[in-house]
Amino acid sequence: MEYQQLIPLITFALVSTVSPGPNNIMLMTSGANVGFMRTIPHMLGIILGFSLMVVLVGFGLMGLFTAYPVIQQGLRIASMLYLLYLAFKIAKSKPMTNEASDYRPMTFLSAASFQWVNPKAWTMALTAISVYAASAELKDIMLVSLIFGLINVPSVSLWAIAGKQLQTSLQAPTKVRIFNYGMAGLLVSSILPMI
């Protein structure tokens, strides 16, 4: 990779990771429902899971999709179904009371695994590799993965903090329900570009 490509790669990584998508919507929901600290495993799962995804896409998954488009179509359908399931779970989460909430943040492994059915993550990984590591050289693939990993730290933190900040204005159970329905609706709307 040429050094003059670093700034465009960093810009692409920043814009694509900080913009709304399934990961960020779920991070904001988690931050609002259980706070920043309990959302950290979810954040780390996104950071490391997506970085690994970039590496694996760079080492051949892109070629596999080109050779067998039916695999990509199957993944698209699985992604849509899983996003609908997550939206349902968010919408049906009960508001926090003094005792507890039934909302459970994603674990590290769940968040890392989620990257494989996240349509935005696939788009970002495929684009990043095809544009910035088309040579498929190890150093280029690893650099793209590293940049995304580093840029993801402030991006995911921002969404979790934004959710945490909403906690104070979401004290009433009705407000929490409206927020959760809104976040579920946004998650469902993230499916629309796939249709």
Side-chain angles (χ1 to χ4, degrees):
M1 174 185 308
E2 303 289 327
Y3 286 109
Q4 57 266 35
Q5 287 185 299
L6 281 178
I7 297 299
L9 172 58
I10 291 168
T11 303
F12 174 70
L14 179 62
V15 170
S16 61
T17 59
V18 81
S19 61
N23 279 329
N24 295 336
I25 292 166
M26 290 188 302
L27 285 169
M28 182 180 253
T29 303
S30 183
N33 280 279
V34 296
F36 184 83
M37 295 304 288
R38 288 189 54 203
T39 304
I40 289 175
H42 184 167
M43 294 163 43
L44 292 173
I46 291 170
I47 294 165
L48 296 174
F50 183 72
S51 295
L52 175 62
M53 179 184 206
V54 168
V55 170
L56 295 177
V57 165
F59 285 127
L61 285 178
M62 201 163 75
L64 183 65
F65 288 155
T66 303
Y68 303 101
V70 71
I71 295 173
Q72 189 172 12
Q73 184 63 25
L75 182 62
R76 180 177 290 130
I77 292 167
S79 298
M80 290 189 308
L81 292 173
Y82 190 63
L83 287 172
L84 288 171
Y85 166 76
L86 288 174
F88 176 79
K89 294 290 281 181
I90 289 171
K92 291 300 179 186
S93 292
K94 292 181 183 148
M96 282 187 87
T97 61
N98 289 338
E99 300 87 47
S101 165
D102 70 344
Y103 181 88
R104 300 288 175 253
M106 276 192 156
T107 64
F108 172 84
L109 286 176
S110 296
S113 300
F114 175 71
Q115 302 318 298
W116 296 96
V117 294
N118 180 348
K120 183 180 176 194
W122 275 106
T123 302
M124 290 165 42
L126 291 168
T127 302
I129 291 299
S130 63
V131 173
Y132 299 104
S135 66
E137 290 184 29
L138 175 62
K139 66 178 180 59
D140 291 345
I141 294 168
M142 297 308 287
L143 181 61
V144 170
S145 177
L146 176 66
I147 287 173
F148 267 96
L150 293 174
I151 296 292
N152 247 327
V153 173
S155 294
V156 299
S157 298
L158 176 74
W159 283 90
I161 289 169
K164 170 68 176 146
Q165 294 303 314
L166 286 172
Q167 267 187 334
T168 56
S169 60
L170 295 175
Q171 294 299 317
T174 304
K175 288 181 180 179
V176 175
R177 274 193 203 93
I178 291 169
F179 175 79
N180 285 346
Y181 286 143
M183 291 294 104
L186 286 173
L187 196 54
V188 169
S189 72
S190 73
I191 297 171
L192 297 178
M194 297 172 58
I195 297 175

